[in-house]
Amino acid sequence: MTTTDSLRSGPDADGRSNRGGDHAHLPGREHLPARQTAPAASRVPVLDVVVPVYNEEKDLRPCVLRLHDHLARTFPYAFRVTVADNASTDSTPAVAAALAAELAGVRSVRLEEKGRGRALRTVWSDSDAPVLAYMDVDLSTDLNALLPLVAPLISGHSDLAIGSRLARSARVVRGSKREFISRAYNLILRSSLAAGFSDAQCGFKAIRSEVAERLLPMVEDSGWFFDTELLVLAERAGLRIHEVPVDWIDDPDSTVHIVRTATEDLKGVWRVGRALAVGALPLDRLARPFGDDPRDRALTGVERGLVRQLVGFCVVGALSTLFYLALYSLFRLGVGPQLANGGALLVSAVANTAANRRLTFGVRGRSGAVRHQAQGLVVFAIGLALTSGSLAALGAASGSPSHSAEVAVLITANLAATVLRFLLLRAWVFPARACPDSEDLR
């Protein structure tokens, strides 16, 4: 990689950026300073806009001139435009170098390998700007959306921001083929990866640098799926993603190969979905403190995260109870009530512990999973004693109770066991861990 400007510090040998410390959690978001008194030439840019290009000798110059002029007129902070050349074979590198020499705040970076994701990872990892963005060279997105895109990141409100062509108030001009592909891909992401964002592929995104520092080493893709993987991991980690409806006009001369790109995207969806399913990604490194309001930090003796955990536990518990009752009714067809209750409770307890570990208490990865299941089985034994004791008491009281009476007693006993289970899971199996700056609220 070569550049017309000296880059700051690059990634370490293991691919991680060496900016900042290796803290367990991200720091709280802060509003970036509104004024900079240093001369413009010596200011550290607040925003670094990357324009990835490959063989764009025709469109590059008008794109950069228009973008630079727009930022100079409308953006109230220091900025930089970085042209990231992805191993172009035409005169694109020469055009980029000429622009860097001509315009203040423009630089060019040359990469010897193709890949939009590779270009963004390289430039973002080396940038000294606190807000990092990128846009496609065709400028299909109206530049009036640029300030709304980065404003929530500058203010400290959000971690990432994306332009959305699928939002209700977006105005889009493109062919039916691309419209169908975009919406179909969005549907795939929602159904397979439970994505909540509306448009993963729009070439108009921004991210805070401290988030990029932690997130980029987790993103494997170096091509077009890079955007999607970045957003999915950020969303799963609980980071805040701001969406901006954009005005967008399709570029009829786009060189994107739709079939090949779609195939690679589907492979990426499978890979990321599998990694998330087995807990192979250390998403806890992306956790944020609960809030930035000083009144929140001043509170003492208040257990934060309790409401969210209760909601998650109740949802998991309700599903587990239905699962348990279905298993009990099934097992009861062949064995007595005690064996049916024990078998149903054992199977549902294992599933319940795994679900609460991931969804309620936010524990990811394989570390400690066996110990958590063992502790969960102890909690299961307590629940078994409670429910089995209830069945025994019912049998002693009525001799030969009906099936409906058994189910009613078991529901009551399970409600009591559920309350006890939550307390034991929260205090013993998954106790809250302290973090450097605030409580662990996951």
Side-chain angles (χ1 to χ4, degrees):
M1 179 188 72
T2 60
T3 176
T4 58
D5 291 341
S6 59
L7 296 179
R8 228 166 54 86
S9 55
D12 296 332
D14 63 355
R16 298 177 184 271
S17 171
N18 56 17
R19 290 183 299 182
D22 191 20
H23 301 302
H25 293 75
L26 284 165
R29 292 183 294 264
E30 295 183 357
H31 195 303
L32 299 175
R35 294 182 178 87
Q36 297 190 39
T37 57
S42 61
R43 292 180 189 174
V44 174
V46 170
L47 173 66
D48 193 348
V49 183
V50 182
V51 182
V53 292
Y54 173 72
N55 288 349
E56 297 285 356
E57 59 183 3
K58 176 183 177 182
D59 295 333
L60 179 56
R61 182 173 177 81
C63 161
V64 173
L65 290 176
R66 180 182 165 197
L67 174 59
H68 186 274
D69 176 70
H70 178 83
L71 288 169
R73 288 186 296 103
T74 66
F75 194 67
Y77 295 83
F79 65 87
R80 177 193 296 139
V81 176
T82 301
V83 179
D85 174 32
N86 288 182
S88 294
T89 57
D90 61 3
S91 62
T92 296
V95 175
L99 287 166
E102 175 184 345
L103 299 173
V106 174
R107 68 170 178 171
S108 66
V109 175
R110 167 75 176 180
L111 292 92
E112 300 303 330
E113 295 181 86
K114 291 180 61 177
R116 181 175 70 175
R118 179 178 289 107
L120 294 177
R121 184 198 314 276
T122 300
V123 178
W124 282 356
S125 296
D126 288 329
S127 179
D128 54 357
V131 176
L132 311 166
Y134 95 89
M135 62 179 58
D136 293 336
V137 69
D138 55 21
L139 295 185
S140 294
T141 304
D142 182 14
L143 291 178
N144 286 328
L146 182 54
L147 185 55
L149 181 80
V150 301
L153 309 188
I154 293 174
S155 70
H157 176 270
S158 301
D159 298 292
L160 299 91
I162 64 174
S164 175
R165 299 163 296 184
L166 303 180
R168 287 188 176 181
S169 56
R171 296 188 297 178
V172 177
V173 178
R174 62 175 166 180
S176 57
K177 179 180 179 181
R178 286 184 177 272
E179 180 75 11
F180 172 78
I181 292 174
S182 181
R183 293 190 178 275
Y185 183 63
N186 183 60
L187 180 61
I188 291 173
L189 293 181
R190 288 181 178 273
S191 59
S192 62
L193 298 178
F197 46 86
S198 65
D199 192 350
Q201 293 178 313
C202 181
F204 194 68
K205 296 183 175 67
I207 184 172
R208 285 179 66 101
S209 61
E210 73 272 17
V211 177
E213 178 185 354
R214 298 287 185 91
L215 188 53
L216 290 178
M218 302 181 194
V219 179
E220 293 185 19
D221 192 81
S222 60
W224 292 98
F225 187 69
F226 174 90
D227 298 47
T228 301
E229 187 170 358
L230 186 83
L231 293 173
V232 169
L233 299 187
E235 187 175 60
R236 286 299 183 94
L239 297 180
R240 182 174 293 156
I241 301 174
H242 177 73
E243 293 198 19
V244 177
V246 297
D247 297 343
W248 194 86
I249 300 177
D250 191 18
D251 177 14
D253 298 323
S254 174
T255 58
V256 177
H257 193 289
I258 295 178
V259 175
R260 182 171 63 245
T261 301
T263 301
E264 294 301 319
D265 284 346
L266 292 176
K267 291 179 180 178
V269 169
W270 168 256
R271 173 176 55 78
V272 171
R274 183 175 56 184
L276 291 172
V278 301
L281 296 167
L283 298 180
D284 56 334
R285 296 183 70 247
L286 298 170
R288 283 283 195 188
F290 175 65
D292 298 328
D293 191 322
R295 292 171 297 179
D296 295 334
R297 293 192 290 272
L299 292 175
T300 58
V302 178
E303 292 187 83
R304 303 184 199 167
L306 178 60
V307 174
R308 184 186 62 80
Q309 289 180 353
L310 277 172
V311 172
F313 181 81
C314 288
V315 172
V316 172
L319 295 176
S320 297
T321 300
L322 294 175
F323 183 47
Y324 160 79
L325 291 174
L327 288 175
Y328 176 80
S329 299
L330 180 63
F331 293 164
R332 191 67 178 83
L333 296 176
V335 298
Q338 294 290 0
L339 285 177
N341 175 61
L345 198 56
L346 176 61
V347 175
S348 61
V350 172
N352 183 280
T353 299
N356 276 311
R357 181 179 189 268
R358 178 68 179 273
L359 301 177
T360 303
F361 299 99
V363 179
R364 296 178 173 85
R366 301 176 183 177
S367 177
V370 175
R371 175 174 58 81
H372 292 152
Q373 281 293 349
Q375 291 173 306
L377 288 177
V378 174
V379 179
F380 151 75
I382 297 174
L384 177 62
L386 183 59
T387 53
S388 296
S390 300
L391 280 177
L394 177 65
S398 60
S400 180
S402 65
H403 179 70
S404 59
E406 290 178 355
V407 172
V409 168
L410 284 173
I411 291 176
T412 304
N414 265 282
L415 287 176
T418 296
V419 174
L420 181 60
R421 181 178 180 81
F422 175 76
L423 296 175
L424 289 174
L425 288 177
R426 180 176 171 82
W428 180 47
V429 183
F430 308 111
R433 294 171 293 175
C435 71
D437 300 315
S438 65
E439 298 177 43
D440 187 350
L441 307 171
R442 291 174 298 113

